[in-house]
Amino acid sequence: MLNSEFGPTSDAVLTKARDLADRGIALSPDQATAHRIQSLVRLNMREHEAAEHHLRIALELNPGDADCIEQMGHLLTMRCRPLDALAWPARAIRINPLHPHWYQYDRALALYMLGEYRTAAEALELATRPRPWIRTRLAACYAQLGEMQAARRQTALISADGSNFSPLDHARTGIPFENASDAEHLADGVSLALG
């Protein structure tokens, strides 16, 4: 469940967003944007099949939309297909070389799931405003690489910000993975980082 800072969003907010996206689709069925938004909402409601359905419609309506293309990569990572996922952000970046930062964050998660921890860390290190969830993923990458000093530095920075953010909760329930094994893979790295 996400909000503008990629943090938790209530079920009520997601339900309202789903209904608004449905309204947008009804008002303008030939526009890709409402389907893309509906896909993101459904993904965060953990309705993975519906999320993919709406995103495929968005891509049919606008096959050159870089955000739709990149979002398909993220969706495929959530559906336990990270190898298939990686081609999508690469294509989106070719279309939009001045892409938003979240392209790299989604790419990094696919790389992590594939065990490409160094490349995932390099993508996450590009963050100009590393939020606690970015630091959590970065700590997991470094821990999986055995670079415990770097991993602990990231977890210390999470604690220092004074928030109630829980890296383990983020890993286990904060990302809409379809399969629990993917969440556990991330949680394993976070647990190592936390010591």
Side-chain angles (χ1 to χ4, degrees), residues 62-81:
N62 189 352
D65 182 313
D67 288 350
C68 285
I69 293 165
E70 195 290 328
Q71 191 173 318
M72 181 57 82
H74 179 63
L75 177 65
L76 292 174
T77 299
M78 296 302 97
R79 299 207 77 187
C80 200
R81 295 169 54 197

PDB file of all heavy atoms in Angstrom, residues 62-81:
ATOM      1  N   ASN A  62      -1.837   2.873 -25.114  1.00  0.00           N
ATOM      2  CA  ASN A  62      -0.698   3.765 -25.327  1.00  0.00           C
ATOM      3  C   ASN A  62       0.599   2.979 -25.153  1.00  0.00           C
ATOM      4  O   ASN A  62       1.240   3.030 -24.102  1.00  0.00           O
ATOM      5  CB  ASN A  62      -0.748   4.949 -24.361  1.00  0.00           C
ATOM      6  CG  ASN A  62       0.284   6.003 -24.702  1.00  0.00           C
ATOM      7  OD1 ASN A  62       1.142   5.816 -25.555  1.00  0.00           O
ATOM      8  ND2 ASN A  62       0.220   7.130 -24.002  1.00  0.00           N
ATOM      9  N   PRO A  63       1.013   2.241 -26.196  1.00  0.00           N
ATOM     10  CA  PRO A  63       2.190   1.370 -26.068  1.00  0.00           C
ATOM     11  C   PRO A  63       3.505   2.116 -25.893  1.00  0.00           C
ATOM     12  O   PRO A  63       4.510   1.503 -25.539  1.00  0.00           O
ATOM     13  CB  PRO A  63       2.174   0.563 -27.370  1.00  0.00           C
ATOM     14  CG  PRO A  63       1.308   1.314 -28.306  1.00  0.00           C
ATOM     15  CD  PRO A  63       0.350   2.114 -27.495  1.00  0.00           C
ATOM     16  N   GLY A  64       3.520   3.427 -26.095  1.00  0.00           N
ATOM     17  CA  GLY A  64       4.750   4.194 -25.938  1.00  0.00           C
ATOM     18  C   GLY A  64       4.829   4.977 -24.645  1.00  0.00           C
ATOM     19  O   GLY A  64       5.751   5.772 -24.465  1.00  0.00           O
ATOM     20  N   ASP A  65       3.904   4.749 -23.714  1.00  0.00           N
ATOM     21  CA  ASP A  65       3.898   5.481 -22.444  1.00  0.00           C
ATOM     22  C   ASP A  65       4.959   4.888 -21.521  1.00  0.00           C
ATOM     23  O   ASP A  65       4.834   3.758 -21.040  1.00  0.00           O
ATOM     24  CB  ASP A  65       2.508   5.381 -21.806  1.00  0.00           C
ATOM     25  CG  ASP A  65       2.392   6.157 -20.507  1.00  0.00           C
ATOM     26  OD1 ASP A  65       3.285   6.041 -19.645  1.00  0.00           O
ATOM     27  OD2 ASP A  65       1.381   6.863 -20.337  1.00  0.00           O
ATOM     28  N   ALA A  66       6.022   5.655 -21.279  1.00  0.00           N
ATOM     29  CA  ALA A  66       7.152   5.151 -20.494  1.00  0.00           C
ATOM     30  C   ALA A  66       6.732   4.748 -19.084  1.00  0.00           C
ATOM     31  O   ALA A  66       7.225   3.747 -18.554  1.00  0.00           O
ATOM     32  CB  ALA A  66       8.264   6.197 -20.445  1.00  0.00           C
ATOM     33  N   ASP A  67       5.814   5.500 -18.469  1.00  0.00           N
ATOM     34  CA  ASP A  67       5.395   5.151 -17.111  1.00  0.00           C
ATOM     35  C   ASP A  67       4.640   3.823 -17.086  1.00  0.00           C
ATOM     36  O   ASP A  67       4.832   3.016 -16.174  1.00  0.00           O
ATOM     37  CB  ASP A  67       4.530   6.255 -16.499  1.00  0.00           C
ATOM     38  CG  ASP A  67       5.336   7.498 -16.145  1.00  0.00           C
ATOM     39  OD1 ASP A  67       6.581   7.457 -16.184  1.00  0.00           O
ATOM     40  OD2 ASP A  67       4.702   8.524 -15.837  1.00  0.00           O
ATOM     41  N   CYS A  68       3.799   3.595 -18.085  1.00  0.00           N
ATOM     42  CA  CYS A  68       3.099   2.299 -18.171  1.00  0.00           C
ATOM     43  C   CYS A  68       4.092   1.161 -18.376  1.00  0.00           C
ATOM     44  O   CYS A  68       3.969   0.098 -17.756  1.00  0.00           O
ATOM     45  CB  CYS A  68       2.103   2.296 -19.330  1.00  0.00           C
ATOM     46  SG  CYS A  68       0.588   3.227 -19.049  1.00  0.00           S
ATOM     47  N   ILE A  69       5.051   1.409 -19.240  1.00  0.00           N
ATOM     48  CA  ILE A  69       6.058   0.383 -19.533  1.00  0.00           C
ATOM     49  C   ILE A  69       6.853   0.047 -18.272  1.00  0.00           C
ATOM     50  O   ILE A  69       7.027  -1.123 -17.917  1.00  0.00           O
ATOM     51  CB  ILE A  69       6.976   0.858 -20.677  1.00  0.00           C
ATOM     52  CG1 ILE A  69       6.162   0.947 -21.983  1.00  0.00           C
ATOM     53  CG2 ILE A  69       8.197  -0.042 -20.823  1.00  0.00           C
ATOM     54  CD1 ILE A  69       6.842   1.723 -23.082  1.00  0.00           C
ATOM     55  N   GLU A  70       7.314   1.074 -17.570  1.00  0.00           N
ATOM     56  CA  GLU A  70       8.080   0.837 -16.348  1.00  0.00           C
ATOM     57  C   GLU A  70       7.228   0.148 -15.294  1.00  0.00           C
ATOM     58  O   GLU A  70       7.686  -0.771 -14.620  1.00  0.00           O
ATOM     59  CB  GLU A  70       8.616   2.172 -15.802  1.00  0.00           C
ATOM     60  CG  GLU A  70       9.712   1.993 -14.759  1.00  0.00           C
ATOM     61  CD  GLU A  70       9.246   1.429 -13.449  1.00  0.00           C
ATOM     62  OE1 GLU A  70       8.092   1.681 -13.037  1.00  0.00           O
ATOM     63  OE2 GLU A  70      10.032   0.729 -12.787  1.00  0.00           O
ATOM     64  N   GLN A  71       5.989   0.570 -15.175  1.00  0.00           N
ATOM     65  CA  GLN A  71       5.109  -0.022 -14.172  1.00  0.00           C
ATOM     66  C   GLN A  71       4.889  -1.507 -14.427  1.00  0.00           C
ATOM     67  O   GLN A  71       4.735  -2.278 -13.476  1.00  0.00           O
ATOM     68  CB  GLN A  71       3.771   0.729 -14.136  1.00  0.00           C
ATOM     69  CG  GLN A  71       2.905   0.353 -12.954  1.00  0.00           C
ATOM     70  CD  GLN A  71       1.668   1.238 -12.856  1.00  0.00           C
ATOM     71  OE1 GLN A  71       1.742   2.446 -13.047  1.00  0.00           O
ATOM     72  NE2 GLN A  71       0.532   0.626 -12.565  1.00  0.00           N
ATOM     73  N   MET A  72       4.915  -1.923 -15.688  1.00  0.00           N
ATOM     74  CA  MET A  72       4.790  -3.354 -15.978  1.00  0.00           C
ATOM     75  C   MET A  72       5.971  -4.115 -15.390  1.00  0.00           C
ATOM     76  O   MET A  72       5.816  -5.229 -14.866  1.00  0.00           O
ATOM     77  CB  MET A  72       4.677  -3.607 -17.485  1.00  0.00           C
ATOM     78  CG  MET A  72       4.521  -5.081 -17.835  1.00  0.00           C
ATOM     79  SD  MET A  72       3.090  -5.906 -17.066  1.00  0.00           S
ATOM     80  CE  MET A  72       1.796  -5.398 -18.194  1.00  0.00           C
ATOM     81  N   GLY A  73       7.149  -3.525 -15.433  1.00  0.00           N
ATOM     82  CA  GLY A  73       8.302  -4.171 -14.807  1.00  0.00           C
ATOM     83  C   GLY A  73       8.096  -4.365 -13.315  1.00  0.00           C
ATOM     84  O   GLY A  73       8.370  -5.438 -12.766  1.00  0.00           O
ATOM     85  N   HIS A  74       7.599  -3.335 -12.655  1.00  0.00           N
ATOM     86  CA  HIS A  74       7.331  -3.428 -11.223  1.00  0.00           C
ATOM     87  C   HIS A  74       6.278  -4.505 -10.940  1.00  0.00           C
ATOM     88  O   HIS A  74       6.442  -5.317 -10.034  1.00  0.00           O
ATOM     89  CB  HIS A  74       6.870  -2.072 -10.688  1.00  0.00           C
ATOM     90  CG  HIS A  74       6.544  -2.077  -9.237  1.00  0.00           C
ATOM     91  ND1 HIS A  74       7.473  -2.351  -8.258  1.00  0.00           N
ATOM     92  CD2 HIS A  74       5.379  -1.855  -8.583  1.00  0.00           C
ATOM     93  CE1 HIS A  74       6.897  -2.290  -7.074  1.00  0.00           C
ATOM     94  NE2 HIS A  74       5.626  -2.001  -7.238  1.00  0.00           N
ATOM     95  N   LEU A  75       5.218  -4.497 -11.728  1.00  0.00           N
ATOM     96  CA  LEU A  75       4.153  -5.486 -11.551  1.00  0.00           C
ATOM     97  C   LEU A  75       4.684  -6.905 -11.707  1.00  0.00           C
ATOM     98  O   LEU A  75       4.360  -7.799 -10.916  1.00  0.00           O
ATOM     99  CB  LEU A  75       3.016  -5.212 -12.534  1.00  0.00           C
ATOM    100  CG  LEU A  75       1.861  -6.197 -12.520  1.00  0.00           C
ATOM    101  CD1 LEU A  75       1.115  -6.147 -11.195  1.00  0.00           C
ATOM    102  CD2 LEU A  75       0.903  -5.913 -13.664  1.00  0.00           C
ATOM    103  N   LEU A  76       5.517  -7.119 -12.706  1.00  0.00           N
ATOM    104  CA  LEU A  76       6.068  -8.460 -12.915  1.00  0.00           C
ATOM    105  C   LEU A  76       6.976  -8.871 -11.751  1.00  0.00           C
ATOM    106  O   LEU A  76       6.995 -10.045 -11.364  1.00  0.00           O
ATOM    107  CB  LEU A  76       6.810  -8.532 -14.243  1.00  0.00           C
ATOM    108  CG  LEU A  76       5.919  -8.427 -15.482  1.00  0.00           C
ATOM    109  CD1 LEU A  76       6.764  -8.364 -16.747  1.00  0.00           C
ATOM    110  CD2 LEU A  76       4.916  -9.570 -15.545  1.00  0.00           C
ATOM    111  N   THR A  77       7.705  -7.929 -11.178  1.00  0.00           N
ATOM    112  CA  THR A  77       8.492  -8.245  -9.988  1.00  0.00           C
ATOM    113  C   THR A  77       7.569  -8.675  -8.853  1.00  0.00           C
ATOM    114  O   THR A  77       7.847  -9.648  -8.149  1.00  0.00           O
ATOM    115  CB  THR A  77       9.352  -7.039  -9.552  1.00  0.00           C
ATOM    116  OG1 THR A  77      10.259  -6.709 -10.611  1.00  0.00           O
ATOM    117  CG2 THR A  77      10.145  -7.352  -8.291  1.00  0.00           C
ATOM    118  N   MET A  78       6.460  -7.955  -8.686  1.00  0.00           N
ATOM    119  CA  MET A  78       5.511  -8.302  -7.627  1.00  0.00           C
ATOM    120  C   MET A  78       4.886  -9.665  -7.867  1.00  0.00           C
ATOM    121  O   MET A  78       4.498 -10.353  -6.933  1.00  0.00           O
ATOM    122  CB  MET A  78       4.390  -7.253  -7.527  1.00  0.00           C
ATOM    123  CG  MET A  78       4.843  -5.859  -7.110  1.00  0.00           C
ATOM    124  SD  MET A  78       5.689  -5.800  -5.520  1.00  0.00           S
ATOM    125  CE  MET A  78       7.405  -5.824  -6.009  1.00  0.00           C
ATOM    126  N   ARG A  79       4.827 -10.084  -9.127  1.00  0.00           N
ATOM    127  CA  ARG A  79       4.226 -11.373  -9.481  1.00  0.00           C
ATOM    128  C   ARG A  79       5.270 -12.482  -9.587  1.00  0.00           C
ATOM    129  O   ARG A  79       5.029 -13.509 -10.213  1.00  0.00           O
ATOM    130  CB  ARG A  79       3.434 -11.239 -10.780  1.00  0.00           C
ATOM    131  CG  ARG A  79       2.296 -10.216 -10.647  1.00  0.00           C
ATOM    132  CD  ARG A  79       1.154 -10.480 -11.552  1.00  0.00           C
ATOM    133  NE  ARG A  79       0.373 -11.580 -11.005  1.00  0.00           N
ATOM    134  CZ  ARG A  79      -0.645 -12.135 -11.655  1.00  0.00           C
ATOM    135  NH1 ARG A  79      -0.998 -11.706 -12.852  1.00  0.00           N
ATOM    136  NH2 ARG A  79      -1.321 -13.132 -11.100  1.00  0.00           N
ATOM    137  N   CYS A  80       6.437 -12.271  -8.981  1.00  0.00           N
ATOM    138  CA  CYS A  80       7.483 -13.294  -8.891  1.00  0.00           C
ATOM    139  C   CYS A  80       8.121 -13.593 -10.255  1.00  0.00           C
ATOM    140  O   CYS A  80       8.500 -14.723 -10.532  1.00  0.00           O
ATOM    141  CB  CYS A  80       6.939 -14.567  -8.239  1.00  0.00           C
ATOM    142  SG  CYS A  80       8.224 -15.643  -7.569  1.00  0.00           S
ATOM    143  N   ARG A  81       8.249 -12.544 -11.081  1.00  0.00           N
ATOM    144  CA  ARG A  81       8.865 -12.700 -12.398  1.00  0.00           C
ATOM    145  C   ARG A  81       9.915 -11.613 -12.618  1.00  0.00           C
ATOM    146  O   ARG A  81       9.854 -10.847 -13.578  1.00  0.00           O
ATOM    147  CB  ARG A  81       7.787 -12.645 -13.473  1.00  0.00           C
ATOM    148  CG  ARG A  81       6.819 -13.823 -13.375  1.00  0.00           C
ATOM    149  CD  ARG A  81       5.597 -13.673 -14.239  1.00  0.00           C
ATOM    150  NE  ARG A  81       5.897 -13.404 -15.619  1.00  0.00           N
ATOM    151  CZ  ARG A  81       5.003 -12.925 -16.489  1.00  0.00           C
ATOM    152  NH1 ARG A  81       3.758 -12.706 -16.115  1.00  0.00           N
ATOM    153  NH2 ARG A  81       5.332 -12.693 -17.731  1.00  0.00           N
TER     154      ARG A  81
END
